Amino acid sequence: FLGIELLRRVVGAEVEFVTIMWFDSLQAVEGFAGADYEVAVVPAAARALLHRFDERSAHYEVRVPRSGPRTGG
């Protein structure tokens, strides 16, 4: 596990969150999430606060890495 980014936006009367978790490899993801690594890992405390969440997660390979810090805008 290298780090996490949490995105937030208001959609009507709800607030939507997207998490982006960074790992070295798919094997590292499997070590974190288990053999069925597409099952979303949502801690009980988070589940208690969320109205709904995606049961499955998607995994992507970085093709063009970030080049330095990003600023809002």
Side-chain angles (χ1 to χ4, degrees):
F1 176 71
L2 300 174
I4 189 168
E5 295 179 53
L6 179 62
L7 310 178
R8 177 186 180 273
R9 74 176 183 149
V10 176
V11 182
E14 296 185 332
V15 176
E16 179 178 273
F17 294 93
V18 174
T19 55
I20 301 172
M21 298 177 74
W22 295 94
F23 291 88
D24 278 331
S25 65
L26 198 50
Q27 291 77 21
V29 173
E30 190 173 359
F32 173 80
D36 190 0
Y37 57 82
E38 289 187 348
V39 172
V41 176
V42 182
R47 288 174 186 257
L49 297 173
L50 298 171
H51 177 68
R52 65 179 178 272
F53 59 89
D54 294 337
E55 297 285 337
R56 312 277 306 165
S57 58
H59 304 280
Y60 299 86
E61 180 181 329
V62 175
R63 302 304 292 181
V64 179
R66 289 172 62 162
S67 58
R70 305 254 168 118
T71 56

